[in-house]
Amino acid sequence: SIKKNKFIPICTPFDEKSVDNVVKHNFEIIKIASCSFNDWPLIEKISSVNKPIIASTAGASLEEIERIVRFFKNRSKNFALMHCVAEYPTNDKNLNLNRLKYLISKFPDVKIGYSTHENPKDNSIVPLAIAMGAQVFEKHVGLPTSKYKLNKYSASPKDVDNWLNSAKISY
């Protein structure tokens, strides 16, 4: 199971009703997808739940990020922001990892993380994100089926093992 392997179960709701399902199924953290970063009815509902929050910032302006940070701080929420690029998979030249350092300096009392969509065979990026101060990481993981192949930004379990090993070495 996820917990047995020391991972944290996280769920991304895309509407208010789904937030209730996240609570019902006892996910530990609620994730706000980049596409929902300005969905204020959803954000209000998420903030009403007593769970930590992770918010992906792809496509969000600095003003929008500042608004979310103020909103969650005013409600004493436990939250993190994720640097994310909404390009699937993300070309290395578009990773913009310097944004990690910028977010860390702009919001020094907020956990900043990295939501990765680069080639899942490339384990050179996670050490860079760690070196730049990222504290939380998200990786898309999948299993191919007879009907569906694995997409180009999702990692296989073996890819995840290699990715985690690279992160472990960095730490």
Side-chain angles (χ1 to χ4, degrees), residues 63-113:
E63 294 80 22
E64 291 166 334
I65 295 170
E66 288 172 334
R67 193 174 311 131
I68 285 284
V69 168
R70 281 192 308 272
F71 180 84
F72 287 147
K73 281 185 175 184
N74 287 337
R75 285 155 184 79
S76 300
K77 300 306 294 181
N78 177 6
F79 71 99
L81 297 174
M82 301 294 274
H83 166 57
C84 176
V85 177
E87 179 183 337
Y88 305 85
T90 308
N91 288 320
D92 287 354
K93 66 181 181 177
N94 297 332
L95 291 172
N96 194 17
L97 292 177
N98 279 328
R99 185 150 171 115
L100 286 166
K101 291 193 304 188
Y102 175 77
L103 291 171
I104 290 166
S105 69
K106 180 75 177 162
F107 307 107
D109 56 341
V110 175
K111 282 184 186 165
I112 305 297

Side-chain angles (χ1 to χ4, degrees), residues 34-78:
S34 297
C35 64
S36 301
F37 199 82
N38 288 302
D39 183 342
W40 285 98
L42 177 60
I43 292 166
E44 286 276 358
K45 178 70 175 182
I46 288 170
S47 74
S48 74
V49 174
N50 188 25
K51 291 195 178 283
I53 301 163
I54 295 174
S56 281
T57 63
S61 68
L62 177 58
E63 294 80 22
E64 291 166 334
I65 295 170
E66 288 172 334
R67 193 174 311 131
I68 285 284
V69 168
R70 281 192 308 272
F71 180 84
F72 287 147
K73 281 185 175 184
N74 287 337
R75 285 155 184 79
S76 300
K77 300 306 294 181
N78 177 6

Side-chain angles (χ1 to χ4, degrees), residues 124-136:
S124 67
I125 306 303
V126 71
L128 296 172
I130 291 167
M132 290 183 157
Q135 298 177 324
V136 181

